[in-house]
Amino acid sequence: MTIKMPNLKGKLMEYIKFNIVGITNFLLSQVLYITLYLVFKLNYIVAYTITSIVSITASYFFNSKYTFKDKDYSAKKFYMTVAVYIGEYLLNMGVIIIMVNFFGIGEIIAPFLAPIISTPPAFFLMRLVIKR
C-alpha cells in the first residue's frame, strides 16, 4: 500500500486553510458575540445563537471558495452545510453550558474554548459536503 504524497499534501493544505478560515470567522464571530452580550445585553445563549447563524452562512461561502476551491454554490450544499454546523452548534452549546454552569468558566471565555472539540469533525463533514 502506497501513500500518495500529493494527495496527502493537498488534504493537509485544505485542513490548514479550513483552520485559517475558521479562526478568522471565529474571531469576527466572537466580536459579534461580545457586542451582542455586553453592549446589547442579550442572554448569552441568544447572543451565541445569532452569532452562529451569521457564522454558518459566512463559513459556507468562505470554505467553498477559499478552502475547497468550489465555486458551485447550491442550495443543497448550503443546507447540508447548515446541517453540519447545527451539529457543531449543538456540540459547542453543550460544551459552553457545561463550562459555564459546572466549571464556572465565564460566558465570554467559554465560546473561545468550545471549538477546540468541534473543529476536527466539522472539517471532515464540510469536506464531504462541498467536495461531493
Side-chain angles (χ1 to χ4, degrees):
M1 180 176 182
T2 61
I3 298 175
K4 295 180 183 179
M5 291 308 287
N7 192 24
L8 183 62
K9 183 181 176 185
K11 288 179 182 177
L12 179 61
M13 287 307 298
E14 281 181 347
Y15 188 71
I16 291 168
K17 288 178 181 180
F18 181 80
N19 280 289
I20 291 168
V21 167
I23 289 166
T24 303
N25 191 17
F26 173 76
L27 293 173
L28 293 172
S29 295
Q30 293 312 301
V31 169
L32 177 60
Y33 170 76
I34 290 168
T35 301
L36 293 172
Y37 180 70
L38 294 177
V39 175
F40 293 101
K41 306 292 185 205
L42 293 179
N43 174 280
Y44 75 98
I45 294 173
V46 173
Y48 186 76
T49 301
I50 292 168
T51 299
S52 293
I53 291 167
V54 172
S55 177
I56 288 167
T57 303
S59 180
Y60 169 69
F61 289 106
F62 290 131
N63 277 313
S64 291
K65 183 174 181 165
Y66 177 70
T67 303
F68 301 114
K69 305 280 189 217
D70 182 64
K71 295 180 178 119
D72 181 30
Y73 304 118
S74 70
K76 180 181 178 183
K77 286 181 182 180
F78 179 75
Y79 294 136
M80 291 176 72
T81 297
V82 170
V84 168
Y85 282 109
I86 286 173
E88 183 186 33
Y89 165 81
L90 293 173
L91 178 60
N92 280 338
M93 184 52 67
V95 170
I96 290 167
I97 289 170
I98 289 168
M99 284 193 275
V100 169
N101 293 315
F102 295 102
F103 295 107
I105 296 173
E107 290 92 349
I108 292 178
I109 300 299
F112 281 93
L113 300 175
I116 293 168
I117 294 169
S118 64
T119 298
F123 166 74
F124 291 110
L125 291 171
M126 280 300 297
R127 189 173 196 288
L128 283 173
V129 166
I130 292 175
K131 287 287 203 174
R132 277 195 167 182

